[in-house]
Amino acid sequence: MKKIIPILICFLCVHSNIMAQSEIKFKNHHLIFNCDIASGNPYILAASSVSTGLINYYLLNDAFFENSFAYNLYSTNVDGLKAKTMNPMGLTASELFNNFQVGLKLGYQTYSPEFINVGLYVSAHYKIDQFKIGTNDDNMAKHRAQRAIFGTTALLSLGSMGQPSRIIIEAGCRYSFGLAYKSPLGNDKDQLNDGFVSHFGIKIASRGMLQNIGIYADINHFNLWKEYRTNQKLNNWTVGVTWTITPQQADNRKKM
C-alpha cells in the first residue's frame, strides 16, 4: 500500500496538468450523499458495477452509487489455528457473499476555489462476512457474521474544486455492532464482540466516466470473539479498491 499512494499522487499530477484550466461545475456542491456497495466476489462486483452505473446514468444523472472490491484478512492468536475468507471465485451463496457491505453516507463539504477543501460525513452500513476457521485445509468450519457499522469520517480534498481531478484523503472512526453469528458453537449473536473500526482511504476524484478511483482500509480494533472463547482471539481488517461509474460524465466531456 505504501507504493500505491505515491503512484496515485503522480497520476493525479499528470492528469491535472493535461486538463488544467478546464472549469467544470459540480452538482450539489456542498452535499455528500452516496450509497456504497462493496463485495469480495468478482461476479457480484461486476453485476453491481454495471447496474449501478446504468442507474447513475439513466435514472439519477449523478454519481450516487459507489462500488468497491473488498478483501478480508484474518488473524488468530492460537498456534495452528487458521482463518481465511471463503473462495472469492466460488459460486455458492457463501462464496458469492463471502464479504458484502452496503451503506449510506451523508455529510457536508466546503466548496471554495482554493486548493484545499474539507468535509465530514456520517455513515451507516450493513456487512456480512463469511469465512472458514480450522487447523488445516481439510478441517475448516464455516462461520458467518453479520454487523451494523455506524461512524463519522473526515475528508481532505487537495485540488481546486473547479479542476477535473483532485485527491481526496479520508480518515474516520466507526463502531461495529454484532447482529447475528453462525458458527460450530451455534447461532448466538452473543458470540460476537462489538468495537471500534478505523477507516482510511485515498482516491482520485475525476470527472471522466470512472470517478473516485482509490484504495481504502478498514481496521478492527477489537477481538471479534467474546472472552468466553478462552484465550482465543480473532481479528479482521479489510483492504479494498473503490470506484464510481457515471457514463454521463463521458458524455458531458464530449460536449465541452
mmCIF file of all heavy atoms in Angstrom, residues 114-147:
data_model
loop_
_atom_site.group_PDB
_atom_site.id
_atom_site.type_symbol
_atom_site.label_atom_id
_atom_site.label_comp_id
_atom_site.label_asym_id
_atom_site.label_seq_id
_atom_site.Cartn_x
_atom_site.Cartn_y
_atom_site.Cartn_z
ATOM 1 N N GLU A 114 -10.243 27.502 -3.665
ATOM 2 C CA GLU A 114 -8.889 27.294 -3.177
ATOM 3 C C GLU A 114 -8.448 25.842 -3.384
ATOM 4 O O GLU A 114 -9.236 24.968 -3.723
ATOM 5 C CB GLU A 114 -8.797 27.679 -1.703
ATOM 6 C CG GLU A 114 -9.259 29.098 -1.404
ATOM 7 C CD GLU A 114 -8.448 30.135 -2.171
ATOM 8 O OE1 GLU A 114 -7.249 29.892 -2.406
ATOM 9 O OE2 GLU A 114 -9.014 31.169 -2.545
ATOM 10 N N PHE A 115 -7.181 25.591 -3.109
ATOM 11 C CA PHE A 115 -6.604 24.270 -3.333
ATOM 12 C C PHE A 115 -7.094 23.250 -2.319
ATOM 13 O O PHE A 115 -7.209 22.064 -2.616
ATOM 14 C CB PHE A 115 -5.076 24.370 -3.270
ATOM 15 C CG PHE A 115 -4.366 23.077 -3.555
ATOM 16 C CD1 PHE A 115 -4.221 22.624 -4.865
ATOM 17 C CD2 PHE A 115 -3.849 22.307 -2.523
ATOM 18 C CE1 PHE A 115 -3.566 21.429 -5.139
ATOM 19 C CE2 PHE A 115 -3.192 21.113 -2.784
ATOM 20 C CZ PHE A 115 -3.050 20.680 -4.099
ATOM 21 N N ILE A 116 -7.401 23.705 -1.088
ATOM 22 C CA ILE A 116 -7.771 22.788 -0.012
ATOM 23 C C ILE A 116 -9.244 22.979 0.360
ATOM 24 O O ILE A 116 -9.701 24.105 0.572
ATOM 25 C CB ILE A 116 -6.884 23.010 1.231
ATOM 26 C CG1 ILE A 116 -5.424 22.666 0.903
ATOM 27 C CG2 ILE A 116 -7.377 22.164 2.406
ATOM 28 C CD1 ILE A 116 -4.466 22.918 2.043
ATOM 29 N N ASN A 117 -9.982 21.881 0.426
ATOM 30 C CA ASN A 117 -11.346 21.870 0.937
ATOM 31 C C ASN A 117 -11.476 20.708 1.919
ATOM 32 O O ASN A 117 -10.707 19.750 1.873
ATOM 33 C CB ASN A 117 -12.355 21.718 -0.199
ATOM 34 C CG ASN A 117 -12.592 23.020 -0.939
ATOM 35 O OD1 ASN A 117 -13.416 23.830 -0.544
ATOM 36 N ND2 ASN A 117 -11.836 23.231 -2.025
ATOM 37 N N VAL A 118 -12.464 20.810 2.800
ATOM 38 C CA VAL A 118 -12.656 19.777 3.817
ATOM 39 C C VAL A 118 -14.129 19.360 3.846
ATOM 40 O O VAL A 118 -15.013 20.063 3.341
ATOM 41 C CB VAL A 118 -12.226 20.270 5.217
ATOM 42 C CG1 VAL A 118 -10.733 20.551 5.250
ATOM 43 C CG2 VAL A 118 -13.017 21.510 5.619
ATOM 44 N N GLY A 119 -14.374 18.209 4.440
ATOM 45 C CA GLY A 119 -15.736 17.716 4.563
ATOM 46 C C GLY A 119 -15.874 16.741 5.713
ATOM 47 O O GLY A 119 -14.876 16.282 6.294
ATOM 48 N N LEU A 120 -17.112 16.418 6.039
ATOM 49 C CA LEU A 120 -17.412 15.482 7.121
ATOM 50 C C LEU A 120 -18.714 14.764 6.777
ATOM 51 O O LEU A 120 -19.680 15.393 6.340
ATOM 52 C CB LEU A 120 -17.568 16.237 8.443
ATOM 53 C CG LEU A 120 -17.748 15.388 9.707
ATOM 54 C CD1 LEU A 120 -16.435 14.717 10.085
ATOM 55 C CD2 LEU A 120 -18.238 16.252 10.869
ATOM 56 N N TYR A 121 -18.719 13.435 6.951
ATOM 57 C CA TYR A 121 -19.968 12.710 6.705
ATOM 58 C C TYR A 121 -20.161 11.618 7.752
ATOM 59 O O TYR A 121 -19.205 11.104 8.336
ATOM 60 C CB TYR A 121 -20.016 12.124 5.291
ATOM 61 C CG TYR A 121 -19.012 11.041 4.972
ATOM 62 C CD1 TYR A 121 -19.229 9.709 5.354
ATOM 63 C CD2 TYR A 121 -17.849 11.323 4.259
ATOM 64 C CE1 TYR A 121 -18.333 8.709 5.043
ATOM 65 C CE2 TYR A 121 -16.938 10.325 3.943
ATOM 66 C CZ TYR A 121 -17.186 9.020 4.328
ATOM 67 O OH TYR A 121 -16.284 8.020 4.022
ATOM 68 N N VAL A 122 -21.417 11.293 7.979
ATOM 69 C CA VAL A 122 -21.777 10.159 8.829
ATOM 70 C C VAL A 122 -22.175 9.008 7.910
ATOM 71 O O VAL A 122 -22.619 9.226 6.773
ATOM 72 C CB VAL A 122 -22.923 10.505 9.801
ATOM 73 C CG1 VAL A 122 -22.473 11.561 10.792
ATOM 74 C CG2 VAL A 122 -24.160 10.977 9.043
ATOM 75 N N SER A 123 -22.017 7.798 8.397
ATOM 76 C CA SER A 123 -22.302 6.635 7.563
ATOM 77 C C SER A 123 -22.980 5.542 8.380
ATOM 78 O O SER A 123 -22.796 5.440 9.600
ATOM 79 C CB SER A 123 -21.012 6.092 6.938
ATOM 80 O OG SER A 123 -20.091 5.701 7.942
ATOM 81 N N ALA A 124 -23.777 4.741 7.688
ATOM 82 C CA ALA A 124 -24.421 3.570 8.285
ATOM 83 C C ALA A 124 -24.314 2.431 7.283
ATOM 84 O O ALA A 124 -24.703 2.594 6.111
ATOM 85 C CB ALA A 124 -25.875 3.864 8.614
ATOM 86 N N HIS A 125 -23.775 1.281 7.722
ATOM 87 C CA HIS A 125 -23.544 0.156 6.821
ATOM 88 C C HIS A 125 -24.054 -1.150 7.422
ATOM 89 O O HIS A 125 -24.074 -1.313 8.651
ATOM 90 C CB HIS A 125 -22.048 -0.005 6.522
ATOM 91 C CG HIS A 125 -21.470 1.066 5.661
ATOM 92 N ND1 HIS A 125 -20.986 2.245 6.173
ATOM 93 C CD2 HIS A 125 -21.297 1.135 4.314
ATOM 94 C CE1 HIS A 125 -20.537 3.003 5.180
ATOM 95 N NE2 HIS A 125 -20.708 2.351 4.057
ATOM 96 N N TYR A 126 -24.422 -2.053 6.530
ATOM 97 C CA TYR A 126 -24.669 -3.443 6.888
ATOM 98 C C TYR A 126 -23.570 -4.274 6.239
ATOM 99 O O TYR A 126 -23.239 -4.080 5.057
ATOM 100 C CB TYR A 126 -26.030 -3.913 6.395
ATOM 101 C CG TYR A 126 -26.185 -5.420 6.405
ATOM 102 C CD1 TYR A 126 -26.474 -6.107 7.577
ATOM 103 C CD2 TYR A 126 -26.009 -6.157 5.236
ATOM 104 C CE1 TYR A 126 -26.597 -7.486 7.597
ATOM 105 C CE2 TYR A 126 -26.133 -7.542 5.238
ATOM 106 C CZ TYR A 126 -26.430 -8.202 6.417
ATOM 107 O OH TYR A 126 -26.547 -9.574 6.432
ATOM 108 N N LYS A 127 -23.001 -5.222 6.998
ATOM 109 C CA LYS A 127 -21.913 -6.035 6.481
ATOM 110 C C LYS A 127 -22.109 -7.491 6.844
ATOM 111 O O LYS A 127 -22.528 -7.816 7.965
ATOM 112 C CB LYS A 127 -20.560 -5.549 7.029
ATOM 113 C CG LYS A 127 -19.357 -6.288 6.465
ATOM 114 C CD LYS A 127 -18.041 -5.710 6.943
ATOM 115 C CE LYS A 127 -16.867 -6.390 6.249
ATOM 116 N NZ LYS A 127 -15.562 -5.872 6.704
ATOM 117 N N ILE A 128 -21.812 -8.375 5.879
ATOM 118 C CA ILE A 128 -21.809 -9.806 6.136
ATOM 119 C C ILE A 128 -20.446 -10.369 5.758
ATOM 120 O O ILE A 128 -19.922 -10.083 4.680
ATOM 121 C CB ILE A 128 -22.946 -10.522 5.365
ATOM 122 C CG1 ILE A 128 -22.913 -12.028 5.663
ATOM 123 C CG2 ILE A 128 -22.880 -10.250 3.870
ATOM 124 C CD1 ILE A 128 -24.142 -12.770 5.148
ATOM 125 N N ASP A 129 -19.855 -11.114 6.669
ATOM 126 C CA ASP A 129 -18.567 -11.778 6.448
ATOM 127 C C ASP A 129 -18.787 -13.290 6.579
ATOM 128 O O ASP A 129 -19.342 -13.748 7.579
ATOM 129 C CB ASP A 129 -17.525 -11.345 7.478
ATOM 130 C CG ASP A 129 -17.092 -9.903 7.295
ATOM 131 O OD1 ASP A 129 -17.103 -9.423 6.150
ATOM 132 O OD2 ASP A 129 -16.744 -9.264 8.306
ATOM 133 N N GLN A 130 -18.314 -14.039 5.596
ATOM 134 C CA GLN A 130 -18.371 -15.495 5.653
ATOM 135 C C GLN A 130 -16.962 -16.031 5.442
ATOM 136 O O GLN A 130 -16.313 -15.716 4.450
ATOM 137 C CB GLN A 130 -19.346 -16.034 4.610
ATOM 138 C CG GLN A 130 -20.747 -15.457 4.782
ATOM 139 C CD GLN A 130 -21.805 -16.222 4.034
ATOM 140 O OE1 GLN A 130 -22.169 -17.347 4.409
ATOM 141 N NE2 GLN A 130 -22.335 -15.634 2.982
ATOM 142 N N PHE A 131 -16.491 -16.831 6.381
ATOM 143 C CA PHE A 131 -15.105 -17.278 6.373
ATOM 144 C C PHE A 131 -15.003 -18.663 6.998
ATOM 145 O O PHE A 131 -15.996 -19.213 7.507
ATOM 146 C CB PHE A 131 -14.219 -16.277 7.121
ATOM 147 C CG PHE A 131 -14.712 -15.914 8.498
ATOM 148 C CD1 PHE A 131 -14.195 -16.536 9.621
ATOM 149 C CD2 PHE A 131 -15.689 -14.947 8.672
ATOM 150 C CE1 PHE A 131 -14.632 -16.209 10.897
ATOM 151 C CE2 PHE A 131 -16.138 -14.612 9.948
ATOM 152 C CZ PHE A 131 -15.607 -15.235 11.055
ATOM 153 N N LYS A 132 -13.798 -19.235 6.953
ATOM 154 C CA LYS A 132 -13.567 -20.578 7.477
ATOM 155 C C LYS A 132 -12.444 -20.548 8.510
ATOM 156 O O LYS A 132 -11.474 -19.807 8.361
ATOM 157 C CB LYS A 132 -13.209 -21.541 6.344
ATOM 158 C CG LYS A 132 -14.320 -21.727 5.338
ATOM 159 C CD LYS A 132 -14.036 -22.854 4.357
ATOM 160 C CE LYS A 132 -13.026 -22.459 3.321
ATOM 161 N NZ LYS A 132 -12.864 -23.488 2.271
ATOM 162 N N ILE A 133 -12.592 -21.370 9.529
ATOM 163 C CA ILE A 133 -11.584 -21.469 10.585
ATOM 164 C C ILE A 133 -11.306 -22.945 10.860
ATOM 165 O O ILE A 133 -12.225 -23.763 10.931
ATOM 166 C CB ILE A 133 -12.051 -20.772 11.879
ATOM 167 C CG1 ILE A 133 -12.214 -19.275 11.640
ATOM 168 C CG2 ILE A 133 -11.070 -21.017 13.015
ATOM 169 C CD1 ILE A 133 -12.720 -18.514 12.835
ATOM 170 N N GLY A 134 -10.047 -23.289 10.994
ATOM 171 C CA GLY A 134 -9.680 -24.661 11.292
ATOM 172 C C GLY A 134 -8.184 -24.805 11.445
ATOM 173 O O GLY A 134 -7.428 -23.839 11.323
ATOM 174 N N THR A 135 -7.762 -26.030 11.715
ATOM 175 C CA THR A 135 -6.334 -26.287 11.923
ATOM 176 C C THR A 135 -5.615 -26.638 10.632
ATOM 177 O O THR A 135 -4.396 -26.539 10.553
ATOM 178 C CB THR A 135 -6.152 -27.425 12.941
ATOM 179 O OG1 THR A 135 -6.885 -28.576 12.486
ATOM 180 C CG2 THR A 135 -6.680 -27.002 14.313
ATOM 181 N N ASN A 136 -6.376 -27.056 9.603
ATOM 182 C CA ASN A 136 -5.775 -27.334 8.295
ATOM 183 C C ASN A 136 -6.847 -27.190 7.235
ATOM 184 O O ASN A 136 -8.034 -27.047 7.537
ATOM 185 C CB ASN A 136 -5.129 -28.728 8.256
ATOM 186 C CG ASN A 136 -6.115 -29.824 8.601
ATOM 187 O OD1 ASN A 136 -7.065 -30.069 7.860
ATOM 188 N ND2 ASN A 136 -5.894 -30.491 9.754
ATOM 189 N N ASP A 137 -6.440 -27.249 5.979
ATOM 190 C CA ASP A 137 -7.369 -27.017 4.882
ATOM 191 C C ASP A 137 -8.461 -28.068 4.792
ATOM 192 O O ASP A 137 -9.510 -27.818 4.180
ATOM 193 C CB ASP A 137 -6.607 -26.945 3.549
ATOM 194 C CG ASP A 137 -5.728 -25.708 3.459
ATOM 195 O OD1 ASP A 137 -6.027 -24.730 4.177
ATOM 196 O OD2 ASP A 137 -4.746 -25.726 2.687
ATOM 197 N N ASP A 138 -8.241 -29.233 5.364
ATOM 198 C CA ASP A 138 -9.244 -30.297 5.325
ATOM 199 C C ASP A 138 -10.183 -30.261 6.528
ATOM 200 O O ASP A 138 -11.106 -31.063 6.623
ATOM 201 C CB ASP A 138 -8.561 -31.670 5.259
ATOM 202 C CG ASP A 138 -7.742 -31.837 3.986
ATOM 203 O OD1 ASP A 138 -8.182 -31.309 2.938
ATOM 204 O OD2 ASP A 138 -6.664 -32.470 4.045
ATOM 205 N N ASN A 139 -9.913 -29.345 7.439
ATOM 206 C CA ASN A 139 -10.711 -29.273 8.668
ATOM 207 C C ASN A 139 -11.086 -27.809 8.946
ATOM 208 O O ASN A 139 -10.725 -27.236 9.956
ATOM 209 C CB ASN A 139 -9.907 -29.858 9.831
ATOM 210 C CG ASN A 139 -10.695 -29.843 11.124
ATOM 211 O OD1 ASN A 139 -11.926 -29.909 11.119
ATOM 212 N ND2 ASN A 139 -9.984 -29.732 12.241
ATOM 213 N N MET A 140 -11.819 -27.216 8.002
ATOM 214 C CA MET A 140 -12.196 -25.806 8.120
ATOM 215 C C MET A 140 -13.706 -25.700 8.285
ATOM 216 O O MET A 140 -14.477 -26.188 7.447
ATOM 217 C CB MET A 140 -11.753 -25.020 6.879
ATOM 218 C CG MET A 140 -10.262 -25.103 6.588
ATOM 219 S SD MET A 140 -9.238 -24.200 7.787
ATOM 220 C CE MET A 140 -9.452 -22.520 7.236
ATOM 221 N N ALA A 141 -14.143 -25.072 9.369
ATOM 222 C CA ALA A 141 -15.571 -24.904 9.633
ATOM 223 C C ALA A 141 -16.022 -23.518 9.186
ATOM 224 O O ALA A 141 -15.299 -22.532 9.318
ATOM 225 C CB ALA A 141 -15.851 -25.082 11.125
ATOM 226 N N LYS A 142 -17.250 -23.456 8.652
ATOM 227 C CA LYS A 142 -17.785 -22.193 8.159
ATOM 228 C C LYS A 142 -18.284 -21.316 9.313
ATOM 229 O O LYS A 142 -18.884 -21.795 10.267
ATOM 230 C CB LYS A 142 -18.942 -22.451 7.193
ATOM 231 C CG LYS A 142 -18.534 -23.135 5.898
ATOM 232 C CD LYS A 142 -19.741 -23.307 4.991
ATOM 233 C CE LYS A 142 -19.359 -24.020 3.700
ATOM 234 N NZ LYS A 142 -20.540 -24.205 2.811
ATOM 235 N N HIS A 143 -18.032 -20.031 9.177
ATOM 236 C CA HIS A 143 -18.533 -19.025 10.113
ATOM 237 C C HIS A 143 -19.198 -17.914 9.299
ATOM 238 O O HIS A 143 -18.759 -17.594 8.191
ATOM 239 C CB HIS A 143 -17.397 -18.421 10.943
ATOM 240 C CG HIS A 143 -16.784 -19.379 11.911
ATOM 241 N ND1 HIS A 143 -16.813 -19.183 13.274
ATOM 242 C CD2 HIS A 143 -16.111 -20.545 11.721
ATOM 243 C CE1 HIS A 143 -16.181 -20.175 13.876
ATOM 244 N NE2 HIS A 143 -15.747 -21.020 12.952
ATOM 245 N N ARG A 144 -20.247 -17.323 9.862
ATOM 246 C CA ARG A 144 -20.915 -16.200 9.201
ATOM 247 C C ARG A 144 -21.267 -15.139 10.232
ATOM 248 O O ARG A 144 -21.980 -15.415 11.197
ATOM 249 C CB ARG A 144 -22.182 -16.653 8.480
ATOM 250 C CG ARG A 144 -22.882 -15.509 7.722
ATOM 251 C CD ARG A 144 -24.119 -16.017 7.002
ATOM 252 N NE ARG A 144 -25.145 -16.428 7.954
ATOM 253 C CZ ARG A 144 -26.075 -17.348 7.705
ATOM 254 N NH1 ARG A 144 -26.070 -17.985 6.540
ATOM 255 N NH2 ARG A 144 -26.985 -17.660 8.607
ATOM 256 N N ALA A 145 -20.757 -13.926 10.024
ATOM 257 C CA ALA A 145 -21.015 -12.811 10.941
ATOM 258 C C ALA A 145 -21.740 -11.707 10.185
ATOM 259 O O ALA A 145 -21.367 -11.366 9.056
ATOM 260 C CB ALA A 145 -19.713 -12.287 11.527
ATOM 261 N N GLN A 146 -22.764 -11.152 10.819
ATOM 262 C CA GLN A 146 -23.482 -10.015 10.257
ATOM 263 C C GLN A 146 -23.378 -8.846 11.235
ATOM 264 O O GLN A 146 -23.554 -9.030 12.443
ATOM 265 C CB GLN A 146 -24.945 -10.371 9.999
ATOM 266 C CG GLN A 146 -25.129 -11.513 9.019
ATOM 267 C CD GLN A 146 -26.582 -11.873 8.807
ATOM 268 O OE1 GLN A 146 -27.364 -11.073 8.299
ATOM 269 N NE2 GLN A 146 -26.953 -13.084 9.206
ATOM 270 N N ARG A 147 -23.100 -7.649 10.683
ATOM 271 C CA ARG A 147 -22.838 -6.499 11.535
ATOM 272 C C ARG A 147 -23.500 -5.238 10.995
ATOM 273 O O ARG A 147 -23.731 -5.104 9.790
ATOM 274 C CB ARG A 147 -21.328 -6.260 11.650
ATOM 275 C CG ARG A 147 -20.592 -7.345 12.415
ATOM 276 C CD ARG A 147 -19.124 -6.986 12.610
ATOM 277 N NE ARG A 147 -18.476 -7.908 13.525
ATOM 278 C CZ ARG A 147 -18.478 -7.781 14.854
ATOM 279 N NH1 ARG A 147 -19.082 -6.756 15.403
ATOM 280 N NH2 ARG A 147 -17.875 -8.660 15.611
#
